[in-house]
Every structure is written in structure tokens, then in C-alpha cells.
Amino acid sequence: MFNLILFGPPGSGKGTQSKSIIEKYGVTHLSTGDLLREEIASGSELGKKISQMIDGGNFVTDEMAQEMVENFINKNKDGEGFIFDGFPRTVNQADWLANLFLKMNSKVSVVVSLEVDDEELKKRLSDRGKQMGRPDDQNMDIIKNRLDIYRKITEPVKEYYKNKNKLESIAGIGSMQEVFDRICTAIEKYK
Ligand code: B4P
């Protein structure tokens, strides 16, 4: 199993690049953002609760994210491996994932971190807000809140993987093809 974590702030290109990575490497896409938005779209009581949390740019609880991830992995564990897009977002989630993989006799193979500055991120997210209508992209205060949470709570996860010699940081600025080529070069070192 080859398990890749695509890491980076909101708007860094995780969802965008995941599509090309899946095509090239045949791994299964696990996007916690997509799973949460599917639950919201279903109109369930849980979906309403999730919407209150994420539409304002805040996280769901670790327990909610972990339960979703575990169910998804159990349903898709016979594939080539996974690309994690948006998970882990806390050090707690990273620890939990390591334990889950240990039980499955597997591991995180590599973490590719997309580095993009805040000005570019704000521009990308507000442009997407105009085109796609995602509630958490609509308002600059919400976008700033998401970036703040990223810097305070999610960025320390990078250090966690650096200490395990699994971190590859690459520039997320440039054309989508240029970024993709950099990601592939990083992945090939761990294949
Ligand atoms: P996500 O769906 O993961 O939201 P995201 O980080 O905004 O998306 P992404 O980073 O994939 O967007 P992309 O750069 O591809 O999560 C949504 C919310 O769910 C979170 O805020 C949180 O509340 C909650 N959540 C999710 N996971 C959680 C967890 N584990 N724990 C707790 N809560 C969780 O695209 C952005 C834009 O940039 C696009 O318009 C794209 O076209 C553009 N772009 C991409 N690459 C570009 C390039 N090279 N040049 C120019 N533009 C580019």
C-alpha cells in the first residue's frame, strides 16, 4: 500500500492536484472536506451540525473526522493505497492515523506539503468563492480565520512528519502542471 498525505493550507491546491495524482498513481482519494460536504448535502441532522462548524471556517472535532476516515478506509482498503487530502489537520489526528495504520500493518509513505503565501491563498479562495459558491470561501473574515487556524493548529503537523523523515516541502506556486511535476518528483523518492 502506498499512502500519500497531500498537505498544505486551504487553497494551496490539495484538491486540484489530487485529481492528477489519482490518475497517475491509482491511489484512492480520501478528502475529508468532500466527505463533510456530502454529509451536509444529504440534509441529515449530522450534516446540519457539520455545516454550522465548517461554513464559518472552523474544524469539526477530531473524533468526527477520525470516524469518517476510518469508515472510508475500511470500505476501500483493498486498493493500491490512499491519497489523504485535508487529513490530518491536527497533531492528534496524525497520531491517531499512525496507530490505525500500525493495526493494519501499513504506514504513511510520504507527506508532500504545498507551500503558498497567504496573499496568494486569499486571492485563490475568494476567486473560487465567486465561481463555486462554497460558503467558507464567501467572506474574507472566514478565509482569514481558516488561514489563522492553519498556521496555529495544522502547521505543527509538518514538524511531526519532519521528525519521522517523511516530509517533502515543495513550492505550490506556478502553473498546475509545474506544481504536479514537483509533486511527482517528490513521490518518486519514496516509491
Ligand atoms: P477542504 O475541502 O479540505 O478545503 P480547502 O483546504 O479549502 O481545499 P483545497 O486546499 O483542497 O482547495 P484547492 O487548494 O485545491 O476542507 C474544508 C473544511 O472542512 C475545512 O476548512 C474544515 O472546516 C473542514 N475539515 C476538513 N478536513 C478536516 C479535518 N481533518 N478535521 C477537521 N475539520 C476538517 O483549491 C483552491 C483554489 O485554488 C481552486 O479554485 C483552484 O483552482 C486554485 N488553484 C489550485 N492550484 C492553483 C495554482 N497552481 N495556481 C492558481 N490557482 C490554483
Side-chain angles (χ1 to χ4, degrees):
M1 245 188 173
F2 186 78
N3 297 308
L4 162 77
I5 293 175
L6 195 55
F7 192 81
S12 56
K14 302 184 298 290
T16 307
Q17 294 295 338
S18 289
K19 295 189 188 105
S20 313
I21 296 169
I22 296 155
E23 245 174 63
K24 179 160 177 172
Y25 293 101
V27 284
T28 303
H29 189 207
L30 198 176
S31 160
T32 40
D34 287 352
L35 292 173
L36 291 166
R37 284 184 290 274
E38 274 167 29
E39 191 64 47
I40 294 173
S42 78
S44 68
E45 279 310 309
L46 177 62
K48 285 179 196 145
K49 218 164 128 191
I50 291 170
S51 162
Q52 282 168 2
M53 293 166 153
I54 79 171
D55 291 355
N58 297 308
F59 285 178
V60 299
T61 63
D62 284 344
E63 290 71 21
M64 280 164 107
Q66 288 160 192
E67 190 183 333
M68 259 177 12
V69 167
E70 188 162 9
N71 289 339
F72 188 94
I73 290 181
N74 282 334
K75 278 189 209 142
N76 296 279
K77 64 182 169 206
D78 296 329
E80 300 288 308
F82 295 92
I83 173 166
F84 290 86
D85 161 6
F87 189 93
R89 263 177 155 97
T90 65
V91 172
N92 222 359
Q93 291 178 10
D95 249 340
W96 175 87
L97 186 64
N99 282 325
L100 182 76
F101 273 145
L102 201 64
K103 281 188 242 158
M104 294 170 62
N105 244 339
S106 189
K107 63 177 174 45
V108 170
S109 309
V110 57
V111 179
V112 178
S113 173
L114 301 173
E115 307 297 335
V116 180
D117 62 87
D118 280 11
E119 284 320 300
E120 170 73 12
L121 294 170
K122 284 181 205 159
K123 187 182 165 303
R124 286 186 191 177
L125 293 171
S126 64
D127 286 351
R128 184 172 67 184
K130 285 174 205 139
Q131 290 155 14
M132 312 283 285
R134 246 174 71 169
D136 55 346
D137 288 341
Q138 294 301 316
N139 169 313
M140 195 41 79
D141 287 339
I142 296 177
I143 291 175
K144 283 186 187 154
N145 181 38
R146 289 161 66 198
L147 294 175
D148 257 12
I149 293 175
Y150 174 79
R151 300 291 171 207
K152 286 188 195 128
I153 298 174
T154 306
E155 207 162 31
V157 176
K158 254 184 357 189
E159 200 57 29
Y160 175 95
Y161 287 115
K162 190 170 172 218
N163 292 335
K164 297 190 183 308
N165 294 321
K166 290 179 193 258
L167 182 72
E168 291 287 323
S169 292
I170 64 152
I173 303 257
S175 72
M176 290 176 194
Q177 184 62 45
E178 281 166 345
V179 177
F180 181 59
D181 290 344
R182 285 180 210 133
I183 294 175
C184 294
T185 306
I187 290 176
E188 294 302 328
K189 293 192 216 165
Y190 296 79
K191 275 295 232 175

